[in-house]
């Protein structure tokens, strides 16, 4: 489960000039997307078979924690 959301506000300064403000949220509700369970029967730390110890992907990819991004664009 992953919900991305963005808002954009465009403000006209003159007939040719505009400002655009943008806010983007990735994984808006911060829902955890867990990785696959451990498939190794015996490890040095003991029996961790079937234990989920990470999210699906590292930070920055689908499955990471909520991220917010802001942008300001001047259009002429």
């Amino acid at each position: 489960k992953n919900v991305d959301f963005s808002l954009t506000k465009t403000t006209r300064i003159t007939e040719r000039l505009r400002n655009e403000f943008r806010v983007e949220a990735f994984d808006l509700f911060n829902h955890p997307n867990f990785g696959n369970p451990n498939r190794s029967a015996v490890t040095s730390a003991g029996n961790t078979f079937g234990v989920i110890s990470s999210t699906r992907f590292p930070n920055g990819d689908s499955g990471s924690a909520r991220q917010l991004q802001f942008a300001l664009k001047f259009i002429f």
Side-chain angles (χ1 to χ4, degrees):
K1 299 177 182 178
N2 193 12
V3 176
D4 297 338
F5 182 75
S6 73
L7 281 172
T8 303
K9 169 69 175 159
T10 302
T11 305
R12 225 174 244 293
I13 300 169
T14 66
E15 188 175 321
R16 290 181 37 202
L17 303 176
R18 303 187 303 245
N19 256 349
E20 181 180 287
F21 179 69
R22 183 177 190 97
V23 178
E24 297 176 326
F26 303 99
D27 194 10
L28 181 64
F29 301 118
N30 208 22
H31 183 274
N33 293 302
F34 296 111
N36 292 326
N38 190 354
R39 295 177 291 183
S40 178
V42 178
T43 63
S44 61
N47 188 2
T48 58
F49 180 75
V51 175
I52 298 173
S53 60
S54 65
T55 57
R56 195 173 62 203
F57 297 107
N59 287 342
D61 293 327
S62 175
S64 63
R66 178 187 308 127
Q67 298 175 23
L68 298 175
Q69 179 174 299
F70 301 92
L72 182 62
K73 187 189 318 185
F74 183 67
I75 304 166
F76 57 94

